[in-house]
């Protein structure tokens, strides 16, 4: 819904025009959508006499309400001046004072006649269909109404121009509409992407400042393995995890080296940190290069299984030695008994 009707004080236009006699360059309207308004522009001058002027009314097509109205009546009229209603509505409004000095009394009398000329429904119909025939009919009605009030014959020119909402918002005639759910979703996505990029840049800077590692730190993303992977919440230093190396510069060189040498990007976890709801997992790529993985939720990361240590078996050789020495000792005892039997 538009704001209340903005009726411009004609004296303000006169003062502004005196300061800026030349109109500003007309900018093209922002055509994001179909026009939602029309500008009804008209000039009228007497066949004989000393009055002349014009007006511009902007109507919202959906409701028929007037959101902007300006009216100028000059007396005495600067003979020979004719402002063409075919001009763009902002240019047309700025040139109205060229008719001559404002006559406030007669201006208010004729402006009052405009209020009852068209109903809301008639304005809505005019928005839907403003053919030349309808414009001429409206022009005739306006002219006769003025002639009855001023008691003189007028000649008039009237035109209708489609107006875009963006133009009226820029002119501060109406307030911008609240964004649609789709627009809000788009803005939210853009903001999230911006914040993510800023956070990643911040993390990179923080990573570079690590005191326990002097070297290059590059950004990585985890390789997800939903079947055999290990939950990121359970990853510990020493685990060997799979990563994808992202970015340019050093990252691109490392990635190219691994691909050319057919090396799978599996690297040992060097350090784990928690910061602002995120987990930063640092992997050791080489003595000079570390990579970091930023994780915001628990996911299963590809992990290289470490060989399990062999189970300890009983030391049978020890027991074999005992048995051997036991048999040997028994044999010696038996030998002593035999010797004793034969020689004693």
């Amino acid at each position: 819904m538009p704001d209340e009707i903005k009726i411009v004080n004609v004296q303000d236009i006169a003062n502004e025009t005196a300061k800026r006699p030349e109109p500003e360059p007309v900018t093209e309207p922002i055509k994001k959508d179909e026009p939602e308004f029309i500008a009804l522009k008209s000039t009228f001058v007497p066949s004989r006499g000393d009055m002349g002027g014009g007006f511009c009314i902007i109507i919202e097509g959906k409701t028929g309400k007037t959101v902007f109205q300006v009216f100028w009546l000059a007396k005495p009229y600067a003979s020979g001046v004719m402002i063409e209603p075919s001009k763009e509505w902002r240019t047309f409004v700025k040139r109205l004072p060229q008719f001559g000095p404002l006559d406030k009394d007669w201006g208010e009398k004729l402006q009052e006649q405009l209020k009852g000329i068209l109903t809301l429904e008639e304005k809505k119909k005019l928005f839907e269909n403003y053919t030349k025939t309808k414009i001429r009919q409206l022009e005739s009605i306006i002219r006769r109404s003025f002639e009855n009030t001023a008691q003189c014959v007028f000649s008039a020119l009237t035109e209708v121009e489609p107006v875009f909402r963006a133009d009226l918002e820029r002119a501060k005639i109406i307030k911008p509409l609240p964004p649609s759910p789709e627009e809000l979703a788009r803005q939210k996505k853009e903001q999230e992407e911006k914040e993510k990029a800023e956070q990643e840049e911040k993390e990179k800077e923080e990573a570079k400042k690590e005191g326990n590692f002097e070297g290059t730190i590059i950004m990585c993303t985890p390789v997800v393995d939903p079947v055999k992977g290990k939950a990121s919440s359970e990853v510990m230093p020493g685990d060997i995890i799979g990563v994808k190396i992202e970015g340019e510069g050093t990252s691109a060189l490392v990635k190219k080296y691994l691909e050319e040498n057919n090396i799978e990007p599996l690297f040992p976890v060097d350090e784990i940190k928690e910061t602002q709801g995120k987990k930063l997992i640092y992997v050791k790529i080489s003595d000079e290069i570390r990579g970091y993985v930023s994780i915001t939720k628990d996911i299963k990361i590809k992990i290289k299984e470490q060989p399990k240590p062999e189970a300890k078996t009983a030391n049978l050789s020890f027991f074999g030695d005992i048995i051997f020495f036991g048999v040997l000792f028994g044999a010696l005892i038996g030998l002593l008994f035999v010797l004793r039997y034969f020689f004693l």
Side-chain angles (χ1 to χ4, degrees):
M1 295 295 291
D3 300 322
E4 295 180 358
I5 298 174
K6 184 171 183 178
I7 300 178
V8 179
N9 188 306
V10 289
Q11 190 60 52
D12 291 342
I13 293 182
N15 294 337
E16 181 182 349
T17 305
K19 296 176 182 177
R20 296 185 300 172
E22 292 298 325
E24 295 179 349
V26 178
T27 56
E28 290 295 324
I30 301 174
K31 299 181 180 180
K32 290 185 178 180
D33 301 306
E34 293 296 321
E36 301 177 43
F37 304 82
I38 54 172
L40 177 61
K41 303 168 291 181
S42 183
T43 58
F44 47 90
V45 294
S47 300
R48 289 183 299 176
D50 59 353
M51 282 195 300
F55 64 85
C56 178
I57 300 174
I58 297 181
I59 300 165
E60 185 184 38
K62 184 178 180 180
T63 63
K65 290 185 177 181
T66 299
V67 297
F68 174 86
Q69 178 175 308
V70 63
F71 192 99
W72 186 276
L73 182 74
K75 187 178 181 182
Y77 156 62
S79 180
V81 172
M82 178 55 70
I83 302 170
E84 297 178 3
S86 59
K87 296 291 185 182
E88 195 263 349
W89 68 272
R90 286 165 292 194
T91 301
F92 176 80
V93 167
K94 290 175 182 178
R95 291 184 178 179
L96 285 177
Q98 294 178 11
F99 275 109
L102 174 68
D103 188 301
K104 187 175 181 181
D105 292 336
W106 274 106
E108 291 178 353
K109 289 177 183 179
L110 296 186
Q111 186 174 357
E112 189 69 24
Q113 300 300 312
L114 285 175
K115 294 180 180 180
I117 288 178
L118 291 175
T119 64
L120 291 177
E121 287 300 319
E122 288 171 335
K123 291 176 183 177
K124 289 165 65 176
K125 290 180 180 179
L126 179 64
F127 173 82
E128 295 169 359
N129 185 17
Y130 45 89
T131 62
K132 289 185 178 181
T133 300
K134 289 186 177 294
I135 294 172
R136 298 290 83 84
Q137 290 173 351
L138 178 60
E139 181 183 277
S140 178
I141 294 172
I142 295 171
R143 180 172 50 79
R144 288 199 302 268
S145 176
F146 288 170
E147 288 175 347
N148 292 335
T149 301
Q151 296 297 309
C152 66
V153 177
F154 284 96
S155 61
L157 290 175
T158 305
E159 295 290 344
V160 173
E161 173 192 347
V163 179
F164 291 86
R165 172 173 289 275
D167 292 321
L168 300 182
E169 290 177 357
R170 286 189 300 178
K172 298 183 179 180
I173 292 173
I174 62 173
K175 294 179 181 178
L177 290 174
S180 63
E182 293 78 11
E183 181 67 15
L184 285 174
R186 185 187 65 80
Q187 293 176 359
K188 182 179 179 182
K189 183 178 179 181
E190 289 179 353
Q191 182 63 25
E192 288 175 349
E193 290 176 351
K194 180 181 177 182
E195 291 176 355
K196 181 181 178 181
E198 291 176 350
Q199 181 63 27
E200 288 177 352
E201 188 63 28
K202 182 179 179 181
E203 289 171 0
K204 288 180 182 179
E205 293 299 322
E206 290 178 352
K208 290 178 181 179
K209 296 177 182 178
E210 289 296 319
N212 60 349
F213 183 84
E214 294 181 0
T216 302
I217 298 180
I218 61 178
M219 180 181 174
C220 304
T221 56
V223 176
V224 179
D225 185 352
V227 179
K228 297 181 179 180
K230 187 175 184 179
S232 58
S233 58
E234 299 176 0
V235 172
M236 302 292 291
D239 288 341
I240 300 176
I241 64 172
V243 298
K244 294 178 182 178
I245 298 173
E246 306 288 347
E248 301 176 352
T250 304
S251 300
L253 293 174
V254 173
K255 184 177 180 180
K256 184 178 179 181
Y257 174 81
L258 296 176
E259 290 175 349
E260 290 179 348
N261 292 275
N262 198 26
I263 299 174
E264 189 175 4
L266 291 162
F267 303 108
V269 176
D270 186 42
E271 187 180 3
I272 298 175
K273 285 190 173 185
E274 299 279 350
T275 173
Q276 297 180 352
K278 294 184 179 182
K279 174 175 279 191
L280 296 178
I281 300 177
Y282 294 87
V283 295
K284 186 176 181 180
I285 298 175
S286 70
D287 290 339
E288 295 81 18
I289 302 172
R290 282 205 307 176
Y292 80 95
V293 178
S294 177
I295 299 175
T296 56
K297 60 181 180 180
D298 200 16
I299 57 175
K300 284 194 171 183
I301 303 176
K302 182 177 180 180
I303 188 166
K304 182 178 180 180
E305 294 186 3
Q306 304 280 8
K308 295 181 179 179
E310 295 182 1
K312 293 182 179 180
T313 57
N315 193 348
L316 297 179
S317 61
F318 175 72
F319 294 105
D321 291 342
I322 293 177
I323 294 172
F324 172 76
F325 285 110
V327 172
L328 181 61
F329 181 74
L332 289 174
I333 295 297
L335 181 61
L336 289 173
F337 275 110
V338 171
L339 291 174
R340 184 181 178 183
Y341 178 77
F342 284 105
F343 295 101
L344 294 178

